[in-house]
Amino acid sequence: GFALPREIGLGVAFEPSSRWLLSFELNWINWADAVKTVTLRATRPANAAAPGVYELVAPADWRNQWVFATGLAYRPDRQTTYYAGHNYGKSPIPEKNASPLLAGHLEHHLTLGAAKRLGPEWTLTGGIEYLLPVKANYSSPLFGEAELRNEAVFLHVMLGRRW
């Protein structure tokens, strides 16, 4: 039941020199039409005293989202490129509808990366993405009053080949 939103984006890049690239992007994400409710359905409990089927349908009412991204690339030589970036998008989830089941409260992302050409056909690319901490208070029939905290670090590695 999770729908993907429509998205419209506009970006521009500028090369102030042959070694530097600056980029800017603005995206509009139509979450309001994609995520209206969240359904939790649990069946076959291990405890015989629990109900056989538990279903909780909660309003999501996600808002549309604007995401602003900036990027920087530096190429010290023909085989190496370094990258840095930041994007910001206010969470589309109203705090009153927050839940640990769908933890989408992420707003600031910082990225660093590098690419190295290993020859005429192969490139090794890697990066790290850090999602800055964010928290939200919520109340639900299943979890009661609680605080949701999100923070994450992702590592990306890719080996590419040109054909």
Side-chain angles (χ1 to χ4, degrees):
F2 189 76
L4 294 176
R6 289 176 293 181
E7 184 173 344
I8 298 171
L10 177 65
V12 63
F14 171 66
E15 268 186 302
S17 74
S18 61
R19 293 181 183 258
W20 290 95
L21 175 74
L22 302 171
S23 65
F24 305 92
E25 186 175 7
L26 174 64
N27 289 290
W28 174 79
I29 305 173
N30 183 222
W31 288 115
D33 289 336
V35 186
K36 295 180 186 277
T37 61
V38 175
T39 302
L40 169 68
R41 182 177 166 84
T43 61
R44 299 185 309 188
N47 184 338
V53 175
Y54 178 82
E55 185 168 284
L56 174 66
V57 179
D61 299 325
W62 284 24
R63 299 178 294 254
N64 293 329
Q65 182 183 44
W66 288 95
V67 178
F68 304 94
T70 57
L72 176 69
Y74 174 67
R75 184 175 303 158
D77 57 55
R78 297 183 73 153
Q79 288 78 29
T80 310
T81 306
Y82 299 109
Y83 301 100
H86 171 258
N87 77 26
Y88 170 76
K90 182 171 172 42
S91 175
I93 304 172
E95 193 167 294
K96 66 182 173 101
N97 295 339
S99 165
L101 301 175
L102 194 54
H105 284 273
L106 303 169
E107 296 184 346
H108 288 276
H109 303 233
L110 300 175
T111 57
L112 291 173
K116 180 75 171 177
R117 291 197 67 179
L118 305 175
E121 298 166 339
W122 294 93
T123 303
L124 179 63
T125 305
I128 187 165
E129 179 180 359
Y130 177 52
L131 283 56
L132 275 70
V134 66
K135 62 183 178 177
N137 295 312
Y138 67 92
S139 176
S140 78
L142 184 60
F143 301 105
E145 300 291 325
E147 180 180 79
L148 171 71
R149 293 182 186 194
N150 278 344
E151 178 180 19
V153 175
F154 298 101
L155 297 174
H156 305 274
V157 177
M158 178 179 73
L159 180 62
R161 184 182 194 285
R162 291 178 178 260
W163 299 98

